């Protein structure tokens, strides 16, 4: 897995890392920004993310039947994992959490629910965790839909309090990288 992580770190740094003045989803100001979608939508990036996420999923304390997350950041992550899970003969279903209810038809917050049964255990995927606010909203919507979520996996933990917020709410956070790990792999 270390070779996959090293290559993913290089790709993330090349495609997704930007320096400047940014306002994050959390409202915090930052002098750097990770736009993980740039890497997740790259063929090799999608492949690497799918493989690494699956390695983490295989080692979760409880088996899950699916993965999902908040649109738009999680969309390419979910697709990558669903495809990789099938290729690795451990098929997982996917779902996407809308920011707003559909507004017509079933008026749901989740897309892909037809593949799940109430009480199914799922895992939330996220690109970047800062404070954890967005992923907590996704977790609540998933639980409101009848699914069980305890584990969250992200590409990057910015190490800015998100882990503590999620753990306080009873969730386990697994990250492919913390900011420190990513910088060390790229610059080391």
């Amino acid at each position: 897995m270390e070779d996959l992580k090293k290559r993913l770190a290089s790709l993330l740094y090349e495609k997704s890392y930007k320096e400047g003045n940014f306002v994050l989803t959390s409202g915090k100001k930052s002098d750097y920004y990770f736009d993980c979608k740039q890497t997740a939508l790259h063929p090799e990036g999608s492949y690497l993310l799918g493989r690494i996420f699956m390695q983490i999923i295989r080692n979760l304390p409880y088996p899950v039947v699916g993965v999902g997350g908040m649109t738009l950041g999680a969309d390419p992550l979910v697709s990558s994992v669903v495809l990789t899970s099938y290729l690795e003969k451990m098929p997982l279903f996917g779902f996407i959490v809308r920011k707003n209810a559909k507004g017509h038809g079933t008026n749901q917050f989740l897309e892909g629910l037809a593949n799940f049964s109430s009480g199914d255990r799922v895992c939330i995927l996220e690109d970047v965790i800062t404070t954890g606010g967005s992923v907590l909203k996704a977790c609540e919507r998933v639980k409101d839909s009848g699914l069980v979520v305890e584990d969250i996996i992200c590409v990057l933990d910015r190490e800015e309090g998100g882990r503590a917020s999620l753990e306080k709410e009873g969730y386990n956070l697994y990250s492919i990288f913390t900011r420190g790990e990513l910088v060390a792999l790229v610059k080391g």
Side-chain angles (χ1 to χ4, degrees):
M1 182 154 104
E2 285 308 309
D3 287 343
L4 296 177
K5 281 183 74 169
K6 281 182 184 175
R7 180 58 193 141
L8 180 59
S10 295
L11 211 54
L12 279 166
Y13 195 77
E14 174 190 338
K15 302 281 181 194
S16 297
Y17 177 75
K18 307 253 183 273
E19 292 182 350
N21 295 310
F22 303 96
V23 176
L24 307 175
T25 305
S26 64
K28 285 185 162 191
K29 293 184 180 189
S30 177
D31 60 355
Y32 73 97
Y33 183 71
F34 275 96
D35 182 2
C36 289
K37 289 180 290 303
Q38 301 307 314
T39 299
L41 293 168
H42 182 277
E44 184 182 10
S46 179
Y47 166 78
L48 293 168
L49 286 163
R51 291 282 313 279
I52 295 168
F53 273 129
M54 282 301 297
Q55 289 175 357
I56 295 169
I57 290 167
R58 285 181 190 283
N59 291 311
L60 291 175
Y62 302 100
V64 296
V65 299
V67 297
M70 187 70 83
T71 198
L72 182 69
D75 293 3
L77 304 177
V78 171
S79 295
S80 178
V81 170
V82 168
L83 176 62
T84 302
S85 75
Y86 182 80
L87 294 172
E88 293 185 4
K89 299 185 181 355
M90 184 186 158
L92 299 171
F93 298 110
F95 63 89
I96 301 295
V97 181
R98 292 174 168 274
K99 292 188 191 309
N100 300 302
K102 196 172 185 176
H104 63 280
T106 57
N107 206 31
Q108 296 182 108
F109 275 105
L110 265 67
E111 294 295 336
L113 272 179
N115 296 314
F116 295 92
S117 298
S118 183
D120 280 350
R121 187 178 299 274
V122 298
C123 176
I124 299 292
L125 304 180
E126 182 69 283
D127 53 0
V128 179
I129 299 279
T130 303
T131 64
S134 295
V135 77
L136 283 173
K137 184 184 294 182
C139 289
E140 287 308 308
R141 290 185 178 158
V142 170
K143 287 163 77 175
D144 289 346
S145 296
L147 302 176
V148 176
V149 59
E150 294 177 9
D151 301 308
I152 299 160
I153 309 172
C154 69
V155 177
L156 180 74
D157 175 359
R158 289 177 57 103
E159 301 177 293
E160 295 182 24
R163 179 177 298 278
S165 295
L166 297 172
E167 288 174 352
K168 181 180 171 195
E169 296 298 320
Y171 297 106
N172 305 309
L173 176 64
Y174 304 88
S175 59
I176 295 176
F177 301 108
T178 62
R179 180 183 185 217
E181 290 168 342
L182 182 63
V183 170
L185 275 173
V186 172
K187 304 222 178 201

